[in-house]
Amino acid sequence: MPKLGMEPIRKAALVNATIVEIGRTGSLDVTVGQIAKRAGMSTALAHHYFGGKEAMFLAAMRHVLSLYGAEVRGALAVSVGAEARLHAIVRASFSPANFRREVVGAWLNFYVLAQTVPEARRLLAVYQRRLHSNLMACLRPLVGLRADEVARGLGALIDGVYVREALSGRAPDGKASIALLLDYLDAELKRSC
């Protein structure tokens, strides 16, 4: 007999276990059995909830994107002024919740999966459009016609730092990453004066 109310709890455990296992191995080369074991349940139950590893990974990335989106929205809600809002987006992108080893590893694999899996490509495109839109809204009053160029540069730097950190083998350094992006932003803002 299934335990009522356990499905969301078990799915959340599997999503978190997926992120940890992919971050631990650095690749999608993990089994549903490894993920299920980390979540404290059977492989059959994991398959029952998600059907397979790809669906589990996509659910994990939806979760990562949802947490990131909530953090950005929260940071923007308390920021006043375009430049402060830009800083908030950058800081949220490299916060301890978003920029930890497992999540960075998941992002690297997400970029790779988006090359061949339409649903992953769609999720990545949604993330990129939202990031670009948020950056554009802040940059227009600061750099005018250069807003698109600067927004694309900031977006590329954010993604690039994630890729570099995933490949570095060391613990992600959020403070250094924030400083790098804010230096780029400062240079671009001075260029527009």
Side-chain angles (χ1 to χ4, degrees):
M1 207 57 161
K3 294 182 182 176
L4 293 176
M6 290 302 292
E7 182 175 347
I9 294 167
R10 289 179 178 152
K11 280 185 171 182
L14 286 165
V15 161
N16 289 325
T18 301
I19 294 166
V20 170
E21 281 300 306
I22 289 169
R24 184 185 63 77
T25 64
S27 78
L28 292 174
D29 207 15
V30 296
T31 65
V32 173
Q34 289 170 293
I35 294 168
K37 183 177 180 182
R38 179 163 296 274
M41 61 191 77
S42 72
T43 303
L45 198 54
H47 277 289
H48 168 73
Y49 286 130
F50 289 101
K53 182 172 63 173
E54 186 177 290
M56 290 171 111
F57 182 62
L58 289 172
M61 285 312 299
R62 278 189 212 90
H63 175 71
V64 166
L65 288 165
S66 176
L67 293 177
Y68 170 70
E71 191 156 350
V72 169
R73 285 188 303 277
L76 289 173
V78 297
S79 299
V80 178
E83 193 168 348
R85 292 172 66 80
L86 280 169
H87 286 223
I89 293 168
V90 169
R91 290 182 194 289
S93 297
F94 298 101
S95 72
N98 293 313
F99 199 57
R100 62 185 202 276
R101 169 71 32 222
E102 310 85 55
V103 175
V104 170
W107 270 102
L108 179 63
N109 286 283
F110 184 50
Y111 297 136
V112 172
L113 192 66
Q115 299 298 305
T116 57
V117 176
E119 179 61 13
R121 187 177 310 117
R122 186 192 70 75
L123 283 174
L124 184 57
V126 167
Y127 153 73
Q128 289 172 333
R129 280 192 306 270
R130 285 181 183 161
L131 176 61
H132 188 75
S133 175
N134 283 332
L135 293 172
M136 287 291 290
C138 300
L139 286 164
R140 277 188 194 106
L142 298 171
V143 298
L145 296 175
R146 294 188 56 243
D148 185 61
E149 171 193 340
V150 177
R152 289 184 189 285
L154 277 170
L157 271 174
I158 290 169
D159 288 346
V161 168
Y162 268 77
V163 170
R164 257 196 192 176
E165 288 298 326
L167 299 173
S168 74
R170 63 180 185 268
D173 185 347
K175 289 181 183 179
S177 299
I178 290 167
L180 174 73
L181 267 85
L182 293 181
D183 284 348
Y184 167 81
L185 179 59
D186 188 48
E188 289 297 328
L189 293 178
K190 284 178 183 170
R191 209 176 130 201
S192 295
C193 291

